[in-house]
Amino acid sequence: MANDEVILLDFWPSMFGMRLRIALAEKEIKYEYRDEDLRNKSPLLLQMNPIHKKIPVLIHNGKPICESIIGVEYIDEVWKDKAPFLPSDPYERAQARFWADYIDKKLFDSGRKLWTTKGEEQETAKKDFIECLKVLEEALGEKPYFGGDNFGFVDIALIGYYSWFYAYENYGNFSVEAECPKFAAWAKKCMLRDSVAKSLPDQHKVLEFVKTLRQKFGIE
């Protein structure tokens, strides 16, 4: 598939876009990265994702693949020559998809509320967020990665959030490492991979972005 045209429509702080950046890097796929202005969405984004009009969108030879988890699976299925993201066993594959779904349903909302709310609502969000991390930490167990010895699907689904941890901790007034040391160690292990380190933005840059959003929303 040497002549493939691959374009990623993304926005640099998006933990969902980071999934596709990591997946493409893991498979060593060359692609064109286009950072979108979400206040002024490009005609290409609106054309390629007319239903949700959201990033990220993976465009492969002119065909759009929307939704980040679906995009990661697509990359895994199309470029099979590199190590697979999903296990070969159907039950283990189902479990990996379960945890990716859990991350999308639980972690994003509680994380967002950490920096968009105050007082009691923020305290509830902090409790929910830490509880989510503890559940994930238990699922990780003593394994190096969620799938076992190899970096895979659930790791790709989750590690993008790590770039937001500094902002979450700053506004939620807690420490991920203190609350979930095994989870923090897993994140640091993932960051040693080039595919992850080069795909995630600096945590301080994300905090500055969040500060700007809080001012815009009138929270600060």
Side-chain angles (χ1 to χ4, degrees):
M1 311 196 102
N3 297 321
D4 283 355
E5 182 193 49
V6 180
I7 299 169
L8 179 60
L9 306 182
D10 198 357
F11 180 45
W12 68 267
S14 169
M15 62 278 284
F16 304 111
M18 291 174 214
R19 292 170 172 174
L20 295 175
R21 287 174 237 165
I22 293 165
L24 289 164
E26 282 287 324
K27 298 281 188 175
E28 297 179 0
I29 301 160
K30 290 182 180 177
Y31 66 99
E32 180 185 341
Y33 180 87
R34 296 191 190 177
D35 203 56
E36 285 283 331
D37 178 356
L38 300 186
R39 293 163 301 179
N40 183 25
K41 295 173 183 177
S42 71
L44 183 62
L45 175 58
L46 300 177
Q47 177 195 344
M48 291 293 166
N49 192 358
I51 307 299
H52 296 304
K53 303 176 177 64
K54 289 180 179 177
I55 56 93
V57 180
L58 180 71
I59 306 170
H60 182 207
N61 293 331
K63 294 176 181 176
I65 299 95
C66 304
E67 300 298 317
S68 61
I69 284 295
I70 294 170
V72 171
E73 287 206 51
Y74 178 86
I75 290 165
D76 201 28
E77 289 171 5
V78 172
W79 288 277
K80 294 179 180 177
D81 54 328
K82 301 286 178 191
F85 301 147
L86 279 160
S88 56
D89 179 76
Y91 176 76
E92 289 179 9
R93 264 206 313 275
Q95 289 302 300
R97 290 183 178 120
F98 170 85
W99 287 114
D101 185 63
Y102 177 86
I103 291 158
D104 278 350
K105 286 179 176 166
K106 294 282 189 178
L107 205 58
F108 179 76
D109 282 341
S110 57
R112 183 177 173 81
K113 284 175 185 171
L114 282 171
W115 61 270
T116 57
T117 62
K118 290 181 176 179
E120 198 175 316
E121 194 177 353
Q122 189 185 49
E123 281 302 309
T124 302
K126 177 164 78 171
K127 184 184 165 197
D128 290 346
F129 185 80
I130 292 168
E131 192 178 309
C132 272
L133 292 190
K134 287 186 183 294
V135 168
L136 288 163
E137 189 176 55
E138 192 176 329
L140 176 65
E142 300 300 324
K143 304 186 298 290
Y145 299 109
F146 279 89
D149 291 333
N150 298 314
F151 181 80
F153 190 70
V154 180
D155 306 295
I156 293 170
L158 183 55
I159 191 57
Y161 282 89
Y162 182 68
S163 62
W164 282 73
F165 277 13
Y166 186 59
Y168 294 156
E169 291 171 325
N170 188 72
Y171 291 109
N173 194 26
F174 70 101
S175 160
V176 170
E177 193 153 16
E179 297 285 350
C180 302
K182 287 181 185 174
F183 186 91
W186 160 83
K188 287 176 182 176
K189 186 193 295 288
C190 290
M191 286 299 291
L192 295 174
R193 300 180 75 85
D194 270 0
S195 63
V196 177
K198 291 176 179 176
S199 298
L200 267 58
D202 180 77
Q203 291 191 345
H204 293 82
K205 189 181 175 188
V206 173
L207 176 61
E208 290 305 313
F209 171 71
V210 171
K211 279 181 182 174
T212 305
L213 286 183
R214 279 170 62 90
Q215 287 164 359
K216 183 181 166 188
F217 296 153
I219 303 164
E220 296 197 345

